[in-house]
Amino acid sequence: MTGALFLGCRYLLHNRFKTAVLLGAVTLMMFLPAATRLLVEDSAQALTARAAETPLLVGAKGSQLELVLSSLYFHAESPPEITYRVYEDVRDTDLALAIPLHARFQARGYPVVGTNLDYFEFRGLDLAEGRLVGLLGECVIGAGVARKLGIGAGDSLITSPETVFDLAGVYPLKMRVAGVFAPTGTPDDEAVFVDVRTSWVIQGLGHGHQDLAEPAAGGAVLNRDEQSITANASLVQYNEITPQNVREFHFHGDTSGFPLTAVIAVPPDEKSGTLLRGRYLEKERGEQLVVPGAVLDDLLETVFTVQNYVVLGLLMLSLATVAVIVLVFLLSQQLRRGEFFTLRRMGASRPFIAVLVASEIVFVFAASLALAALLTWAVRAWATELLLSLMTF
């Protein structure tokens, strides 16, 4: 029967268009249901893993899902803000380790996350080069940012303005890259980390300028008396913080009222977490405390329900595809009646012709199975990275 297999293979190679259409149809029939289920399951695993590592989140009242996604994946462009006093309140309870987050700005398309050193230890971030943030105006970048932008420790990175025309006069800040984190496979790879005070400088709440008391700043003085000095529009404001001018940077007002986007609370035990959650049950509070894992579980329950309907629809579509493929083969056999008659006149038996036809079907399904497996492997390999890129931006 080797001859029948050879003739079946040659027939498929000769009718390339027909073979390509059959391969595409059968491959999609096998690939789509499996890929949909794998993509949802892997995405759910990636989502729940990061949420499970974050015990509690405190943020502005509103959408719990938006708070969780903006705090874990830094995807929100203008997340609702709370005050630094909320962080101080959580810290002063001694019920949990409090970690501030201020994730509002971007630098060359990557989120700038203002936080403190506790965040790096909490997330298990290790340095691949350089050092951690030590001065105002420095940043540490994720491995993905370093790779895609081609920068490393010692280079500079400039923040992006929120609007093209910034009427508030907030200048982009040129930050020095102090270090680069090792890859973690999480959204931290695609983020730029700064001290929370640096993020306030980016927002324009802190700034540095010439010392008006010095003689060199005489041209920038509009009015001078015994109690105050008023500057004019020529006063030079810095858009880069260096060791030479860092002492000139300062903040106006009470920093307790300065903005944050969230506070991560890490209680040492379940009892402390329960007591802390009880403090945020009061309706008159302007903040909410959420459990990220519970919020994402509710989301994923809906996603899995939708997935089941999608997979069911794809299976029904696959049955229709199988019916069409069977019809194509039956019509093909009718058109090849003359060919089969010639083969019988040449001495081919009916089993030989049956093997010939079956080999064509087997070759198509075997090749489709291999292609579907290859595509499924690609989805499995890139699903998490695709999800993180979507969640981050």
Side-chain angles (χ1 to χ4, degrees), residues 169-370:
V170 180
Y171 301 101
L173 179 65
K174 183 178 181 180
M175 302 179 295
R176 182 181 181 275
V177 179
V180 179
F181 285 123
T184 61
T186 68
D188 296 327
D189 291 344
E190 308 294 330
V192 178
F193 295 96
V194 299
D195 181 74
V196 68
R197 297 171 66 88
T198 300
S199 67
W200 292 340
V201 172
I202 297 173
Q203 191 163 341
L205 300 175
H207 62 272
H209 50 66
Q210 292 172 290
D211 187 354
L212 297 177
E214 295 181 355
V221 176
L222 179 63
N223 183 35
R224 184 192 303 266
D225 55 36
E226 295 181 357
Q227 296 181 346
S228 64
I229 302 176
T230 304
N232 59 33
S234 67
L235 179 67
V236 177
Q237 291 197 12
Y238 301 118
N239 63 348
E240 180 179 5
I241 304 175
T242 65
Q244 290 73 30
N245 65 25
V246 66
R247 294 181 180 272
E248 306 298 335
F249 276 80
H250 55 276
F251 298 90
H252 294 285
D254 183 7
T255 56
S256 295
F258 282 14
L260 295 175
T261 55
V263 176
I264 298 176
V266 187
D269 50 51
E270 186 176 352
K271 178 182 178 181
S272 298
T274 303
L275 291 174
L276 183 61
R277 291 173 64 182
R279 293 172 178 255
Y280 286 85
L281 295 179
E282 303 174 7
K283 295 183 178 179
E284 59 269 17
R285 295 191 70 108
E287 304 82 38
Q288 62 177 337
L289 186 146
V290 301
V291 181
V295 173
L296 287 183
D297 284 343
D298 293 339
L299 171 65
L300 293 176
E301 184 178 351
T302 303
V303 170
F304 280 119
T305 301
V306 174
Q307 173 210 251
N308 292 334
Y309 286 111
V310 171
V311 171
L312 179 61
L314 290 174
L315 291 176
M316 294 177 64
L317 183 61
S318 298
L319 291 177
T321 303
V322 170
V324 172
I325 292 173
V326 171
L327 178 62
V328 168
F329 275 108
L330 290 177
L331 293 175
S332 176
Q333 306 317 309
Q334 292 296 320
L335 294 174
R336 297 173 63 187
R337 292 177 62 184
E339 175 188 343
F340 296 151
F341 178 76
T342 302
L343 286 174
R344 285 197 297 271
R345 293 288 299 271
M346 294 173 62
S349 62
R350 290 185 180 275
F352 181 92
I353 297 175
V355 171
L356 171 62
V357 174
S359 67
E360 298 170 4
I361 300 175
V362 171
F363 286 147
V364 168
F365 275 84
S368 298
L369 181 61

Side-chain angles (χ1 to χ4, degrees), residues 42-54 57 65-77 101 103 106 110-113 119 123 185-191 264 292 296 299-300 384 386-393:
D42 288 356
S43 300
Q45 184 177 358
L47 282 169
T48 54
R50 189 166 176 84
E53 295 172 355
T54 309
L57 273 177
L65 180 60
E66 181 181 357
L67 172 61
V68 170
L69 294 182
S70 63
S71 302
L72 299 187
Y73 299 94
F74 320 123
H75 82 296
E77 294 183 358
L101 288 179
Q106 292 189 343
Y110 295 94
V112 176
V113 182
Y119 181 88
R123 292 297 187 196
T186 68
D188 296 327
D189 291 344
E190 308 294 330
I264 298 176
L296 287 183
L299 171 65
L300 293 176
T384 302
L386 176 62
L387 173 70
L388 293 179
S389 64
L390 291 175
M391 297 305 298
T392 305
F393 301 107

Side-chain angles (χ1 to χ4, degrees), residues 105-112 145 148-151 156-161 192 393:
F105 300 98
Q106 292 189 343
R108 297 182 63 178
Y110 295 94
V112 176
V145 178
K148 295 174 183 178
L149 297 184
I151 59 177
S156 298
L157 187 60
I158 300 177
T159 62
S160 306
V192 178
F393 301 107

Side-chain angles (χ1 to χ4, degrees), residues 74-136:
F74 320 123
H75 82 296
E77 294 183 358
S78 298
E81 293 180 337
I82 56 177
T83 64
Y84 190 72
R85 186 175 293 107
V86 176
Y87 159 74
E88 294 175 330
D89 290 343
V90 175
R91 181 194 61 192
D92 293 342
T93 63
D94 293 328
L95 294 174
L97 169 68
I99 303 174
L101 288 179
H102 188 224
R104 174 177 173 179
F105 300 98
Q106 292 189 343
R108 297 182 63 178
Y110 295 94
V112 176
V113 182
T115 185
N116 59 19
L117 298 180
D118 290 331
Y119 181 88
F120 308 141
E121 182 178 355
F122 170 65
R123 292 297 187 196
L125 301 178
D126 298 319
L127 286 170
E129 61 174 286
R131 58 174 175 79
L132 294 176
V133 173
L135 296 174
L136 194 68

